[in-house]
Amino acid sequence: MAANLHYLHFPDQILQTKFQSKQFKPVIRSKTNGHCVVSCLSSSNGRGPGGLDDGVKSVEKLLEEKRRVDLSAGIASGKFTVKKLSFPLQLRNNLLKLGIPKVVVESLLKWTGSLEDYPRIPEAKGSISALQNEAFFLALYELYLTYGGIFRLTFGPKSFLIVSDPSIAKHILKDNPKAFSKGILAEILDFVMGKGLIPADGEIWRRRRRAVVPALHQKFVSAMISLFGESTDRLCKKLDDAASDGEDVEMESLFSRLTLDIIGKAVFNYDFDSLKVDTGIVEAVYTVLREAEDRSVAPIPFWEIPIWKDISPKLKKVNAALKLINDTLDDLIAICKRMVDEEELNFHEEYMNEQDPSILHFLLASGDDVSSKQLRDDLMTMLIAGHETSAAVLTWTFYLLVKEPSVMSKLQNEVDSVLGDRFPTIEDMKKLKYTTRVINESLRLYPQPPVLIRRSMEDDLLGDYPIKRGEDIFISVWNLHRSPNHWEDPDKFNPERWPLDGPNPNETNQNFSYLPFGGGPRKCIGDMFATFETVGAVAMLVRRFDFQMALGAPPVEMTTGATIHTTKGLNMTVTRRRRPPIIPTLEPTVQVGSLLNIPEVKTVLGQNDEVSSASPS
């Protein structure tokens, strides 16, 4: 038998004396900083699988521990991180402060050869295959603990800068955002989002943001809270049926359908009704979503190969799905335009059509002068972004809740007190403080997305390190949110790490160590929408039901996509909540010379011991 061990790092001289026995066959992959990356193959030579494999695992563990100790010592000694500014860098900064154009300074330093003396960004090299067994962002966390807040990750000829330092993230997102584009992200999403709000850059982005942001006004958000309640009530009825039948449910897919129904109505007044039916348009949306996620983690852009994109059955299916979605959106745009033309329009800052409060209706009523293609790109962007992220937040929130019964108990107590048997309202959102903190903490532990992507559009300085134009950058939100340098017990689910009566945590008051919705001018415009949506859904669900992992459910593991998904779903057993019995306080009396008098005790339940369904008012 043969078993692959993790990649191990050995100095070259060790390879000359170690692993000479027949049981180990080192395969040298590549060299990094004078070390060889080795994959070892073990062989039992016909003997049983027991002792030798156990020995191999022990060796692997010891060597891995030694590698980490050596790397930690190297980091502590300054081997990987250059903290002191070199003279050329100091000269460059001083010349720029004097007002000398950057191009002149850079040319001067390049001509004198001084650029070679700049601090070099720590570099990690590897093979893409080394990251295929786990979610990409998990590997980035291990590398961050080794190489620090900024390092270069190189795969063959391709490299990325990995940023896990809050001050550098702030520089990219807020202090100098015009110097960075969406880069790879825009290229990956072009086939579905075009020049929509997320992938667009420059003047197109500024123009579209000015048009779309006003649509998310207070009156619209209030109307959406009613939509959140109605849509979640559909899911409650589905879970009620499952509880009656004693069937386990896969919650991740149900959350995906719930948020698809919500975003369809909110963005362009279309009822997917995906919790009840599987129509062609629903399947088309999921086909496109899966393709976008596949492209986000693909090592090469196979979809750009001329012959392949014409013959691939998968791409043909994707193109057919895209056509169906685009045709549907075109029809919805045409219908909405007729509605706007026919109504007596009195457009104002908080304009909203009662029959169609969608963002599409607002944009058309505002006189937004934009092509149907651009409008379709905007709608598709909001559909995908608003659907995927909220579904992922709900999935991982319930995963965390079932692991922490004490948090679930506090949550249910608050919801019972605030909501009773009603649907949530805008006023309730301010009162559901603990519920909001549950969502805040869920987003810290499972950020959606776990990585933000940028590309430098000009030469810049990240921390102490100069970078060139065209650098692809991954801001690891996962690393920022779980850094032991910024958080106490970073892996613990603790909604009360922020005071309930304090402000909601955001990138500003957490110094860019917390980026649930990004930061700077390109921060997500739907942050309030998404927060109220998930708070409302969680409140309604935990009020009605108790949740626990299903017996025999597969382990809940993560995989990389546009957001964090489970590998095999979130399989749960759902039961109706029962009101706790009312038990009277016993006050026995004892009289001298008599027996102990104990009153008769009766367990008293409410008229209905099961929590009833909520009502809109």
Side-chain angles (χ1 to χ4, degrees):
M1 61 176 291
N4 276 313
L5 303 184
H6 293 305
Y7 289 145
L8 308 174
H9 292 70
F10 301 93
D12 292 343
Q13 59 269 27
I14 291 181
L15 293 176
Q16 298 171 7
T17 58
K18 300 293 184 182
F19 301 115
Q20 298 299 318
S21 68
K22 294 181 180 179
Q23 286 87 355
F24 294 90
K25 302 173 183 178
V27 180
I28 302 174
R29 303 291 187 185
S30 63
K31 281 193 172 183
T32 306
N33 296 330
H35 289 67
C36 291
V37 181
V38 178
S39 176
C40 300
L41 300 179
S42 66
S43 173
S44 62
N45 289 332
R47 292 177 299 207
L52 183 58
D53 282 353
D54 291 340
V56 166
K57 292 177 181 178
S58 298
V59 171
E60 176 193 9
K61 183 177 180 181
L62 289 172
L63 290 172
E64 178 66 15
E65 290 176 355
K66 181 180 183 303
R67 182 183 70 83
R68 288 204 173 192
V69 169
D70 290 343
L71 284 171
S72 296
I75 294 171
S77 68
K79 179 179 179 181
F80 296 97
T81 305
V82 180
K83 295 183 178 180
K84 184 177 180 181
L85 291 178
S86 65
F87 173 74
L89 188 55
Q90 292 175 340
L91 177 62
R92 174 190 184 274
N93 291 345
N94 290 334
L95 291 175
L96 290 175
K97 287 179 181 178
L98 292 174
I100 299 176
K102 180 187 289 187
V103 64
V104 175
V105 174
E106 299 290 359
S107 298
L108 176 62
L109 292 176
K110 187 174 182 181
W111 177 69
T112 60
S114 298
L115 283 173
E116 298 301 320
D117 294 328
Y118 271 32
R120 294 179 64 88
I121 295 176
E123 185 170 5
K125 293 183 179 179
S127 168
I128 291 178
S129 61
L131 303 177
Q132 289 179 343
N133 295 326
E134 63 181 355
F136 179 59
F137 53 87
L138 293 180
L140 294 185
Y141 183 74
E142 293 297 324
L143 291 168
Y144 156 62
L145 295 179
T146 300
Y147 292 99
I150 180 171
F151 63 90
R152 185 181 300 280
L153 181 58
T154 301
F155 295 117
K158 188 64 179 174
S159 71
F160 305 90
L161 293 180
I162 311 300
V163 171
S164 310
D165 182 297
S167 62
I168 297 177
K170 179 174 179 286
H171 174 82
I172 295 171
L173 298 175
K174 183 181 180 182
D175 296 340
N176 196 23
K178 293 182 179 180
F180 299 90
S181 70
K182 289 299 185 79
I184 297 173
L185 183 67
E187 295 167 2
I188 292 171
L189 297 178
D190 180 71
F191 83 105
V192 59
M193 293 185 183
K195 298 298 182 183
L197 199 55
I198 288 180
D201 285 309
E203 184 55 34
I204 293 178
W205 167 77
R206 283 186 284 273
R207 192 165 59 245
R208 297 315 302 149
R209 186 179 177 91
R210 283 196 298 267
V212 174
V213 167
L216 302 171
H217 53 69
Q218 187 73 20
K219 188 175 179 182
F220 168 79
V221 173
S222 297
M224 290 303 101
I225 289 177
S226 298
L227 171 64
F228 302 157
E230 294 165 4
S231 299
T232 306
D233 192 54
R234 292 187 194 177
L235 176 56
C236 286
K237 290 174 181 175
K238 197 173 187 71
L239 294 181
D240 201 55
D241 291 340
S244 296
D245 298 338
E247 296 178 351
D248 294 335
V249 290
E250 200 287 282
M251 293 300 299
E252 184 174 28
S253 61
L254 291 178
F255 286 140
S256 184
R257 290 172 179 270
L258 167 66
T259 56
L260 178 63
D261 287 351
I262 288 173
I263 205 68
K265 290 289 288 183
V267 173
F268 37 74
N269 197 36
Y270 185 85
D271 189 0
F272 286 103
D273 201 15
S274 65
L275 280 166
K276 290 184 179 180
V277 296
D278 282 314
T279 60
I281 186 65
V282 172
E283 179 57 34
V285 168
Y286 283 112
T287 297
V288 171
L289 283 171
R290 286 191 292 267
E291 177 65 14
E293 294 199 329
D294 288 347
R295 293 189 183 191
S296 71
V297 296
I300 59 172
F302 60 87
W303 54 89
E304 293 181 357
I305 302 173
I307 298 177
W308 180 249
K309 65 183 181 182
D310 294 329
I311 64 174
S312 167
K314 180 185 177 185
L315 290 181
K316 287 182 178 180
K317 182 179 180 181
V318 169
N319 291 332
L322 268 176
K323 185 178 186 306
L324 176 58
I325 296 171
N326 287 334
D327 289 346
T328 302
L329 289 178
D330 285 339
D331 290 343
L332 291 171
I333 291 170
I335 292 170
C336 193
K337 281 182 176 178
R338 287 197 296 271
M339 284 184 64
V340 171
D341 290 340
E342 292 170 3
E343 70 178 292
E344 295 182 5
L345 193 61
N346 180 24
F347 187 81
H348 53 88
E349 191 175 89
E350 287 203 341
Y351 166 82
M352 189 181 75
N353 183 283
E354 298 295 336
Q355 284 72 42
D356 177 9
S358 68
I359 293 174
L360 170 61
H361 197 107
F362 180 95
L363 292 175
L364 292 175
S366 70
D368 185 24
D369 185 16
V370 65
S371 67
S372 294
K373 171 66 168 62
Q374 181 62 60
L375 191 55
R376 201 171 63 216
D377 288 347
D378 291 335
L379 298 177
M380 185 71 84
T381 299
M382 288 183 277
L383 170 67
I384 293 177
H387 158 246
E388 273 288 279
T389 50
S390 295
V393 171
L394 289 171
T395 297
W396 293 106
T397 298
F398 275 82
Y399 169 71
L400 290 166
L401 287 171
V402 298
K403 291 171 59 182
E404 293 290 345
S406 62
V407 175
M408 176 66 92
S409 178
K410 287 183 180 180
L411 176 63
Q412 289 177 324
N413 287 340
E414 178 183 79
V415 171
D416 290 342
S417 173
V418 173
L419 292 187
D421 290 335
R422 296 182 292 102
F423 281 12
T425 65
I426 187 71
E427 289 76 20
D428 293 325
M429 292 296 132
K430 301 172 186 177
K431 300 174 184 177
L432 291 169
K433 297 179 180 180
Y434 190 78
T435 312
T436 301
R437 289 293 179 266
V438 166
I439 296 298
N440 296 151
E441 179 71 341
S442 173
L443 276 166
R444 185 187 68 82
L445 288 169
Y446 295 93
Q448 313 294 341
V451 173
L452 299 176
I453 300 175
R454 293 292 188 271
R455 176 177 291 159
S456 60
M457 300 173 65
E458 59 185 50
D459 295 354
D460 199 9
L461 201 64
L462 299 184
D464 294 337
Y465 303 106
I467 65 167
K468 295 292 185 183
R469 181 178 184 274
E471 291 274 19
D472 286 316
I473 301 168
F474 290 174
I475 300 173
S476 178
V477 183
W478 178 276
N479 291 353
L480 289 166
H481 285 195
R482 289 185 180 244
S483 171
N485 298 327
H486 310 303
W487 304 96
E488 183 178 347
D489 293 328
D491 295 328
K492 183 180 180 181
F493 179 45
N494 177 22
E496 293 178 88
R497 68 174 62 247
W498 299 287
L500 297 186
D501 291 325
N504 280 330
N506 57 39
E507 74 284 2
T508 301
N509 58 36
Q510 301 299 307
N511 297 317
F512 275 74
S513 60
Y514 183 65
L515 300 173
F517 298 102
R522 299 209 64 154
K523 181 179 178 178
C524 173
I525 64 172
D527 54 348
M528 184 183 296
F529 179 100
T531 300
F532 287 170
E533 176 187 20
T534 50
V535 166
V538 166
M540 288 186 64
L541 290 168
V542 302
R543 192 194 70 82
R544 290 279 305 279
F545 302 101
D546 286 318
F547 297 83
Q548 61 184 20
M549 296 304 298
L551 291 175
V556 180
E557 298 176 342
M558 292 176 285
T559 184
T560 303
T563 55
I564 305 174
H565 291 282
T566 68
T567 54
K568 298 179 181 178
L570 186 66
N571 296 283
M572 289 188 161
T573 299
V574 181
T575 54
R576 299 185 188 93
R577 276 187 70 203
R578 294 180 177 273
R579 299 177 189 266
I582 301 173
I583 303 175
T585 302
L586 300 182
E587 297 180 354
T589 59
V590 180
Q591 297 179 356
V592 178
S594 68
L595 296 175
L596 181 67
N597 294 321
I598 302 178
E600 181 182 1
V601 178
K602 294 182 180 180
T603 299
V604 181
L605 298 175
Q607 293 182 347
N608 182 1
D609 62 342
E610 292 180 352
V611 178
S612 61
S613 59
S615 59
S617 59

